[in-house]
Amino acid sequence: MSSSRFRRTFTALALILIASFAVTASAQDTRHVVEPHYPPVCIQLKAQLSAPGGRLTPAEEHMEDTARIQQAIDHCSPGHAVELSSSGDNHVFLTGPIHLRTGVTLLVDKATALYGSRNPRDYDLTPGSCGVVDKRGHGCKPLITVDDAPNAAIMGRGVIDGRGGATLLGQKVTWWDLAHQAKVKDLNQSCPRMVVVNRSNNFILYRITLRNSPFFHVLVSHTNGFTAWGVRINTPSTARNTDGIDPGPATNVTITHSYIHDGDDDVAIKAGPGGATNMTISDDHFYTGHGMSIGSETNGGASHILVRNLTLDGTTNGIRIKSDLSRGGLVHDVTYQNVCMRNVKYPLLLTPRYSKKQGDLIPWYRDITLRNIHILTPGRYILVGKDAKYPLGVQLDNVWADGLGDSKIDAEFANFIYGPEIGNLILSGYDVSNKQITGSKRGTPIDCAGKFPPFPVNQSVPESAENVPHYDHALYVSLDSTAEYHSVQSAVNAAPATGATIRIAPGVYRGVVVIHKPNIRLIGDGANPAQTVLVDDRSAETTGSTFKSATVTVTGDHFYAKNITFSNDWNRTHKQAYEGSQALALSLTGDKAVLTHVRLLGNQDTLYAASPKCHAATSSCKVSRQYFDHCFIQGNVDFIFGDAKAFFDHCTINSTPHSEGMITAQSKNNPDQPSAFVFHDCRLTADPGVTNVYLGRPWRPYAAVVYLHTWMGPQINPAGWREWHPGQTHRLRTAFFAEYDSTGPGAAPEQRESHSHQLKGAQASKFTLRNFFPHWKPDTSLNHSRHTATAVR
């Protein structure tokens, strides 16, 4: 790359750089926070369980210490601690939900572990509400509740272990399995949080290790004064929704000298009603997890926050502010300084579009300062303001991003100028009135050498036996914030060049999707294909071409789709005309495509099943092989067309109203081209009142269509087949249109068009799936058992 400065400009208005570089004293916890100390002990309890290998026996799983721990807490005077200690080989306490009281500290000694019960009934808010996945969620009591208990604390060099990966009693899943099920089904899990602090001023977490929480580790709300000092949070990165510390609506918060390794936000300031103010996050180290976040709740406002001396090593995000129109608000006077990052996917992510939820609560981020930030590895940068009225206001002071030339920057209303030869990232403001660009303040990159310590695992007590969730490589799409992506196209864009599985939550996703990558697999996670719909309303008239009108265009090989609907609803708002009404739901030209339990909805030209390299009249071109299993395909004119080698197995082909309907328009262009449409064990149905439907007409001279064992409704014209333009073209003479064992009121072999064929058994056997695809066995199961359900409309 040239040593000259590389300039990249985005037409924009919304990234405004603030001129002042001072950090005000108010942008932090207003308390003078010092290292806590252990209070005197009021009572010491001895462990009675050993858990060799991190496992309790079935009998021990019912020997809970809940009652004696709670009794000790209830009888301890304020300013004192209940101490949990090991005894010989016994180092484990087992508990269900407990409550801390005013001024009482729970002190867990070194080499001592407090295990959470894995009996969901212990945590029920209402009978049977915990340990389930449903729409409501939040059916569990926390493991430790601190409610209206000022000056309480949890301290010690021991461990509190939520056992999120242990199989629940009476069930075959873990807490973390439930979280994953909720993600796949776009529902909510009911799993207990580890520590919930509410209306309890001056609460302290000190030196404690928190492990394997079933859900959030620490949630703080409506509290003035919260300190986490020397805390270690250690939970697998694959354990979903295991946030580290989430200060909610609270003020005067300090999180310092702590180490966080989890499966969600390391710290997330959730500024709901009541607001989040005066917080200091300092001298901390984040490992796996989603980084340092503010949001997604910002509707209460977040301000006067200082993040200082932070390292992020392998987190998904670095500095993140996230919200949307359903819970947005003003975030201002936030300073990040002396931050080192490496191997972070999204080093800077500031967006008011965290989800597509709608509302009138506007996220507005301004007076945000980034000072002395050094990003050591490439990543993706997202810096977005809502619009010109609510711009993203960021001051940059000595922000360095190594390898920026290998990074991707997404921004709106912003100009970027950066010099890859020195690795300095300069984000500059755009002045609408005079188009002047002003650079940010330069400096010298901060030294991050030696600032990434390994996670200090607490080895004083063995970890509980956990089933660590496998890394889920799938990309998840939903219309709300339960998934990483909120449009199918954004997930496709994020997929590796080699392909990915994309799971789509129920909902209607309006917009065009274009897939050029191979091995893209789209899975609808609804109960049936009708619950997950990809739809748009373009037509040949609006786009200038039939082939540009598709809602979904797939050119990549090895495409797979399951339990999903592709639709083009152009005729919902436009009358179908003789010209310009072609409106594709799916344009599919990739090889070895498999679609199972998919609905394709349109009218004229619903499905283009074609071979991109076979438009010329040549016998040497490669034909795309495509397999449709238990699909529902709807339209009226030429609604299955193209020159692919396509097999339709147990599909329902439904005709919609039109004066004259044609199911297929196959376009095999020469006699040696190995192209044809085969319909096997299909059903040809129609909307009420529909008549005069043809099995097909030849778009090209050597069109080939075969129906095997197909039930045909009364809408089928007895002639079966029709010329492309009767009286003008003569393609039926060279086309191959055939049937074998057609049934139903539309089956009329003796009345069929004279150029068509009624096959014998030996002739028909050439078109069975095995013989039609001799070198390819389509797999509809995505490496699972084959589906046998009937087509779903």
Side-chain angles (χ1 to χ4, degrees):
M1 185 175 290
S2 170
S3 61
S4 61
R5 174 168 294 173
F6 179 68
R7 180 181 298 254
R8 181 179 294 174
T9 302
F10 294 83
T11 303
L13 298 175
L15 189 61
I16 296 177
L17 306 185
I18 310 304
S20 170
F21 295 102
V23 180
T24 61
S26 61
Q28 58 188 343
D29 190 337
T30 62
R31 302 173 300 158
H32 177 62
V33 178
V34 297
E35 184 172 358
H37 61 274
Y38 297 151
V41 173
C42 63
I43 186 171
Q44 184 185 62
L45 302 178
K46 292 292 186 178
Q48 299 174 349
L49 303 172
S50 61
R55 288 183 170 84
L56 298 173
T57 67
E60 288 173 334
E61 289 290 354
H62 299 281
M63 297 171 60
E64 293 188 7
D65 297 291
T66 311
R68 68 178 181 132
I69 295 173
Q70 189 63 64
Q71 184 178 24
I73 292 171
D74 293 344
H75 289 85
C76 189
S77 58
H80 292 77
V82 173
E83 183 180 18
L84 306 184
S85 298
S86 60
S87 177
D89 292 335
N90 295 330
H91 52 260
V92 172
F93 291 80
L94 177 64
T95 187
I98 58 175
H99 294 254
L100 285 185
R101 304 304 183 195
T102 298
V104 175
T105 294
L106 180 64
L107 179 62
V108 184
D109 281 350
K110 184 178 180 180
T112 304
L114 178 63
Y115 278 12
S117 167
R118 54 189 181 95
N119 182 1
R121 303 289 71 79
D122 287 342
Y123 302 92
D124 280 343
L125 283 173
T126 59
S129 64
C130 189
V132 297
V133 172
D134 55 24
K135 290 185 178 180
R136 181 179 179 182
H138 306 292
C140 303
K141 301 172 187 175
L143 180 63
I144 301 175
T145 296
V146 191
D147 190 20
D148 199 16
N151 303 308
I154 299 173
M155 299 184 176
R157 294 186 179 274
V159 173
I160 300 176
D161 195 320
R163 299 204 289 171
T167 303
L168 302 180
L169 298 183
Q171 298 182 220
K172 296 181 179 180
V173 295
T174 70
W175 297 117
W176 296 334
D177 290 337
L178 295 176
H180 184 70
Q181 289 178 18
K183 181 176 183 178
V184 171
K185 298 178 180 179
D186 196 35
L187 296 171
N188 293 294
Q189 75 269 29
S190 286
C191 301
R193 296 173 172 89
M194 183 173 281
V195 180
V196 173
V197 181
N198 184 46
R199 294 184 174 86
S200 299
N201 296 345
N202 301 316
F203 181 78
I204 296 174
L205 286 174
Y206 180 49
R207 289 188 174 177
I208 194 71
T209 294
L210 308 178
R211 277 196 313 223
N212 301 320
S213 180
F215 202 15
F216 297 173
H217 288 80
V218 182
L219 182 64
V220 183
S221 60
H222 307 293
T223 292
N224 186 342
F226 169 85
T227 302
W229 189 299
V231 175
R232 305 181 199 180
I233 294 177
N234 191 11
T235 291
S237 63
T238 52
R240 181 174 178 258
N241 290 150
T242 52
D243 292 35
I245 301 176
D246 290 355
T251 189
N252 290 321
V253 169
T254 288
I255 302 169
T256 188
H257 295 92
S258 294
Y259 302 81
I260 302 179
H261 178 298
D262 63 26
D264 210 305
D265 290 311
D266 297 279
V267 170
I269 298 172
K270 296 181 176 295
T277 62
N278 299 107
M279 299 187 179
T280 300
I281 294 89
S282 66
D283 301 290
D284 297 308
H285 303 280
F286 297 168
Y287 300 84
T288 62
H290 295 177
M292 178 64 232
S293 298
I294 298 175
S296 49
E297 300 88 340
T298 60
N299 48 308
S303 64
H304 303 102
I305 296 167
L306 173 64
V307 179
R308 179 179 61 202
N309 300 336
L310 172 66
T311 67
L312 300 110
D313 189 5
T315 56
T316 304
N317 308 296
I319 293 169
R320 176 165 73 157
I321 305 178
K322 53 177 180 172
S323 195
D324 57 48
L325 291 173
S326 72
R327 48 194 165 180
L330 178 61
V331 178
H332 66 100
D333 292 302
V334 180
T335 297
Y336 304 86
Q337 68 179 38
N338 300 334
V339 178
C340 291
M341 305 183 210
R342 69 181 181 187
N343 302 318
V344 174
K345 185 176 181 180
Y346 295 92
L348 303 178
L349 198 167
L350 282 66
T351 178
R353 303 170 189 172
Y354 181 59
S355 81
K356 290 190 174 182
K357 289 182 178 179
Q358 296 301 306
D360 56 4
L361 301 177
I362 297 172
W364 188 13
Y365 315 147
R366 62 173 176 82
D367 302 314
I368 312 297
T369 299
L370 304 181
R371 175 181 295 113
N372 295 333
I373 312 295
H374 196 173
I375 302 156
L376 302 176
T377 49
R380 185 176 177 184
Y381 297 81
I382 299 178
L383 297 141
V384 179
K386 180 183 179 296
D387 51 33
K389 185 177 180 181
Y390 299 100
L392 172 62
V394 176
Q395 165 202 312
L396 296 159
D397 180 3
N398 197 35
V399 177
W400 285 73
D402 299 345
L404 195 63
D406 296 322
S407 298
K408 183 177 181 180
I409 301 173
D410 295 330
E412 288 192 56
F413 312 118
N415 287 301
F416 288 84
I417 307 171
Y418 56 90
E421 73 278 7
I422 59 172
N424 197 7
L425 169 63
I426 309 170
L427 297 128
S428 300
Y430 188 93
D431 188 316
V432 183
S433 61
N434 58 23
K435 305 278 195 283
Q436 293 298 306
I437 296 174
T438 57
S440 71
K441 185 177 179 180
R442 287 178 177 269
T444 301
I446 61 171
D447 185 4
C448 294
K451 293 186 178 180
F452 295 97
F455 187 91
V457 177
N458 187 332
Q459 297 179 331
S460 69
V461 58
E463 187 166 353
S464 63
E466 306 292 331
N467 298 308
V468 177
H470 295 293
Y471 182 77
D472 186 355
H473 293 275
L475 307 178
Y476 287 83
V477 179
S478 73
L479 294 173
D480 58 24
S481 58
T482 60
E484 298 95 332
Y485 303 95
H486 309 302
S487 72
V488 177
Q489 189 64 59
S490 64
V492 171
N493 294 344
T498 54
T501 296
I502 298 172
R503 305 195 70 104
I504 309 169
V508 177
Y509 299 82
R510 184 165 289 277
V512 173
V513 177
V514 178
I515 301 172
H516 297 310
K517 298 173 182 177
N519 302 305
I520 294 295
R521 299 171 289 277
L522 302 183
I523 315 295
D525 280 327
N528 58 65
Q531 291 189 355
T532 305
V533 180
L534 277 58
V535 61
D536 204 65
D537 60 356
R538 303 195 303 175
S539 71
E541 177 184 342
T542 61
T543 64
S545 168
T546 298
F547 306 104
K548 295 179 181 179
S549 70
T551 296
V552 178
T553 298
V554 180
T555 64
D557 294 342
H558 302 282
F559 174 72
Y560 178 94
K562 173 184 174 184
N563 199 39
I564 197 169
T565 295
F566 301 134
S567 175
N568 191 316
D569 62 357
W570 164 254
N571 291 134
R572 177 179 60 88
T573 54
H574 299 81
K575 184 177 180 180
Q576 188 169 349
Y578 180 74
E579 293 184 353
S581 289
Q582 297 91 337
L584 278 65
L586 174 64
S587 172
L588 178 61
T589 57
D591 188 28
K592 293 187 177 179
V594 174
L595 292 86
T596 180
H597 296 265
V598 168
R599 298 195 312 161
L600 301 169
L601 307 182
N603 278 322
Q604 184 172 358
D605 294 0
T606 302
L607 168 64
Y608 179 49
S611 304
K613 300 178 181 179
C614 290
H615 296 308
T618 172
S619 61
S620 62
C621 61
K622 180 180 179 182
V623 174
S624 289
R625 292 158 290 181
Q626 301 169 1
Y627 180 68
F628 298 82
D629 169 64
H630 289 91
C631 293
F632 180 90
I633 307 173
Q634 178 172 279
N636 51 38
V637 177
D638 303 334
F639 62 97
I640 303 175
F641 73 110
D643 64 348
K645 189 173 186 179
F647 196 95
F648 300 84
D649 202 354
H650 292 84
C651 291
T652 296
I653 313 299
N654 188 72
S655 294
T656 60
H658 197 268
S659 59
E660 188 177 42
M662 277 72 69
I663 294 175
T664 65
Q666 219 274 342
S667 58
K668 179 176 176 178
N669 214 32
N670 67 77
D672 297 321
Q673 182 182 339
S675 165
F677 291 168
V678 174
F679 296 85
H680 173 258
D681 274 332
C682 292
R683 293 180 59 84
L684 308 186
T685 63
D687 286 356
V690 172
T691 60
N692 199 29
V693 175
Y694 290 89
L695 301 176
R697 60 176 178 167
W699 185 19
R700 295 289 183 266
Y702 297 96
V705 180
V706 178
Y707 289 87
L708 306 177
H709 307 293
T710 293
W711 183 91
M712 302 180 179
Q715 76 279 2
I716 300 300
N717 187 294
W721 310 92
R722 206 204 77 167
E723 181 57 66
W724 181 250
H725 291 306
Q728 300 179 34
T729 58
H730 305 282
R731 298 173 186 171
L732 282 173
R733 301 173 184 176
T734 51
F736 182 80
F737 288 156
E739 299 172 64
Y740 175 72
D741 190 28
S742 297
T743 59
E750 68 283 352
Q751 300 181 58
R752 289 298 192 245
E753 202 282 331
S754 61
H755 292 95
S756 65
H757 306 272
Q758 298 294 318
L759 302 178
K760 304 296 184 181
Q763 295 171 310
S765 66
K766 295 191 299 183
F767 299 100
T768 62
L769 180 61
R770 177 180 296 179
N771 292 328
F772 193 63
F773 294 134
H775 305 296
W776 176 49
K777 184 178 180 181
D779 181 6
T780 63
S781 63
L782 198 64
N783 300 321
H784 294 286
S785 60
R786 181 186 173 94
H787 294 277
T788 57
T790 57
V792 180
R793 179 173 181 176

